[in-house]
Amino acid sequence: MHLSSADLCARLGDCPDCECLKSDQPPAVLAADAIKALDDAHVSKGVILSGAYLYARPSVHLSAGETAKKVRLENEFTAAEVAKYPKRLVGFFSVNPLQDSAVEEVRYWGAKSQFAGLKLHFNASAVNVRNAEDRKKVSRILAEAAKKGLPMVIHVGGGNFNASDAELFITEILPSAGDSWVQIAHAGGGMPSRNGNNLAVLRTFGDHIVRNDPRTRRILFDLSFVPAPDDSPQGFAQEIRRIGFKHFVFGSDFSVQMPSDAIVNLKRLGLSAEEMQTLSQNCAPWAC
């Protein structure tokens, strides 16, 4: 789930994946909105992922110094909102891993107790895992988070990210996370999928998991926007079963998608009642 301050909402007119609530005046997404969405879907807890990394988008037109200040303010906004519902919400701060200020932001929040973990979004942060320098910068951020024992939620997919990119991530970036849990957003996919990349990415992770690769021993996947409109529901269901349901947790991507709508979409996978029940009870270590 995502919250957005009024300032961030005002700057994201070009962002198709960023949906602010016009019911808030000025438009924003607040913790109270997330709680209402959870209640409507009969979901007990939500993990709030800060959208602070979005300030580094080129279209926002901020200098490096201004970006660092705005990232800090948005993370502070998210922490304050999450604190209003400590029994229902868990917060993750975020950074753009390519920004020079990202390391200091990880160290700052890693020394505090307001957040449970770190969120990264490769596509929105223009991370190209085929670029050695980008891999180095991202690896450094994962290592800093790992020093603090922070779990991470990472959106790797979307754009042209494919199975080969997933292999690069697993072999050259993921080891920097050490013993920290890493949750892969959208089960490795992104909206929209292209040429079957979403399922191919998940299969790449699955190949490592089923052969007990130690690099993937603490990998989870959330099922927000799974399956995507042009994904193969049967293919995803088969891969989830191959990997094992213990590696998957429910997700919605609120406020882009409401939890109640995510539940309906998840049913497209054709899972059995027992499998759906298992998913409904799965919970990430930092949330339960």
Side-chain angles (χ1 to χ4, degrees), residues 132-183:
E133 187 62 26
D134 282 11
R135 293 197 301 272
K136 181 178 178 181
K137 290 180 178 180
V138 174
S139 295
R140 184 181 180 189
I141 295 300
L142 266 61
E144 287 292 337
K147 288 178 184 177
K148 303 296 184 180
L150 295 172
M152 293 159 251
V153 173
I154 306 180
H155 180 135
V156 298
N160 295 317
F161 192 92
N162 59 26
S164 296
D165 297 320
E167 189 69 28
L168 272 175
F169 172 80
I170 293 167
T171 57
E172 298 195 25
I173 298 175
L174 184 58
S176 297
D179 291 329
S180 290
W181 284 95
V182 175
Q183 177 178 310

Side-chain angles (χ1 to χ4, degrees), residues 5 16 18 41 43 58 63 70 73 81 89 109 112 114 131 139 180 193 203 211 236 248 266 280 287-288:
S5 67
C18 313
V43 177
S63 68
K70 289 294 187 181
L73 288 172
E81 287 292 305
L89 302 178
W109 290 110
K112 297 179 177 292
Q114 288 100 319
N131 181 287
S139 295
S180 290
S193 63
R203 282 176 176 154
R211 66 173 182 258
F236 262 93
F248 293 87
L266 195 61
S280 73
C288 298

Side-chain angles (χ1 to χ4, degrees), residues 75-158:
N75 283 328
E76 289 176 343
F77 160 81
T78 304
E81 287 292 305
V82 168
K84 295 177 181 178
Y85 301 92
K87 294 183 179 180
R88 300 288 304 279
L89 302 178
V90 177
F92 277 44
F93 69 98
S94 73
V95 298
N96 179 321
L98 303 186
Q99 295 288 306
D100 291 338
S101 57
V103 171
E104 176 55 33
E105 192 72 4
V106 173
R107 290 172 178 167
Y108 177 84
W109 290 110
K112 297 179 177 292
S113 60
Q114 288 100 319
F115 288 111
L118 167 68
K119 158 69 184 292
L120 300 178
H121 193 306
F122 284 5
N123 196 26
S125 299
V127 172
N128 178 5
V129 299
R130 303 170 198 176
N131 181 287
E133 187 62 26
D134 282 11
R135 293 197 301 272
K136 181 178 178 181
K137 290 180 178 180
V138 174
S139 295
R140 184 181 180 189
I141 295 300
L142 266 61
E144 287 292 337
K147 288 178 184 177
K148 303 296 184 180
L150 295 172
M152 293 159 251
V153 173
I154 306 180
H155 180 135
V156 298

Side-chain angles (χ1 to χ4, degrees), residues 2-286:
H2 307 279
L3 306 183
S4 295
S5 67
D7 182 79
L8 183 60
C9 286
R11 297 172 184 269
L12 296 178
D14 72 317
C15 180
D17 298 327
C18 313
E19 189 165 327
C20 294
L21 299 179
K22 296 180 180 179
S23 55
D24 293 320
Q25 293 298 323
V29 187
L30 307 176
D33 301 317
I35 294 296
K36 182 179 185 305
L38 290 173
D39 288 345
D40 289 345
H42 306 289
V43 177
S44 61
K45 284 192 172 185
V47 178
I48 302 297
L49 308 175
S50 168
Y53 61 89
L54 292 167
Y55 275 107
R57 288 169 61 91
S59 59
V60 179
H61 304 300
L62 295 177
S63 68
E66 291 171 329
T67 298
K69 291 178 182 178
K70 289 294 187 181
V71 166
R72 175 66 54 83
L73 288 172
E74 190 68 18
N75 283 328
E76 289 176 343
F77 160 81
T78 304
E81 287 292 305
V82 168
K84 295 177 181 178
Y85 301 92
K87 294 183 179 180
R88 300 288 304 279
L89 302 178
V90 177
F92 277 44
F93 69 98
S94 73
V95 298
N96 179 321
L98 303 186
Q99 295 288 306
D100 291 338
S101 57
V103 171
E104 176 55 33
E105 192 72 4
V106 173
R107 290 172 178 167
Y108 177 84
W109 290 110
K112 297 179 177 292
S113 60
Q114 288 100 319
F115 288 111
L118 167 68
K119 158 69 184 292
L120 300 178
H121 193 306
F122 284 5
N123 196 26
S125 299
V127 172
N128 178 5
V129 299
R130 303 170 198 176
N131 181 287
E133 187 62 26
D134 282 11
R135 293 197 301 272
K136 181 178 178 181
K137 290 180 178 180
V138 174
S139 295
R140 184 181 180 189
I141 295 300
L142 266 61
E144 287 292 337
K147 288 178 184 177
K148 303 296 184 180
L150 295 172
M152 293 159 251
V153 173
I154 306 180
H155 180 135
V156 298
N160 295 317
F161 192 92
N162 59 26
S164 296
D165 297 320
E167 189 69 28
L168 272 175
F169 172 80
I170 293 167
T171 57
E172 298 195 25
I173 298 175
L174 184 58
S176 297
D179 291 329
S180 290
W181 284 95
V182 175
Q183 177 178 310
I184 303 299
H186 311 298
M191 290 285 289
S193 63
R194 295 182 180 180
N195 303 320
N197 281 351
N198 287 0
L199 184 53
V201 168
L202 181 59
R203 282 176 176 154
T204 301
F205 278 97
D207 289 343
H208 285 265
I209 291 170
V210 298
R211 66 173 182 258
N212 296 317
D213 184 338
R215 292 171 293 195
T216 56
R217 70 190 184 283
R218 286 182 174 253
I219 287 285
L220 294 177
F221 304 92
D222 68 61
L223 291 170
S224 55
F225 273 117
V226 176
D230 51 352
D231 282 338
S232 164
Q234 290 183 337
F236 262 93
Q238 181 179 1
E239 194 59 30
I240 290 169
R241 293 182 179 115
R242 181 174 79 106
I243 293 171
F245 279 85
K246 68 179 181 180
H247 292 278
F248 293 87
V249 293
F250 172 72
S252 70
D253 212 21
F254 171 87
S255 64
V256 179
Q257 184 185 51
M258 294 293 168
S260 56
D261 294 329
I263 292 171
V264 172
N265 184 61
L266 195 61
K267 292 179 179 178
R268 293 177 52 221
L269 292 175
L271 303 178
S272 69
E274 291 78 12
E275 289 170 334
M276 288 292 287
Q277 180 69 11
T278 296
L279 281 177
S280 73
Q281 294 174 342
N282 286 352
C283 191
W286 49 88

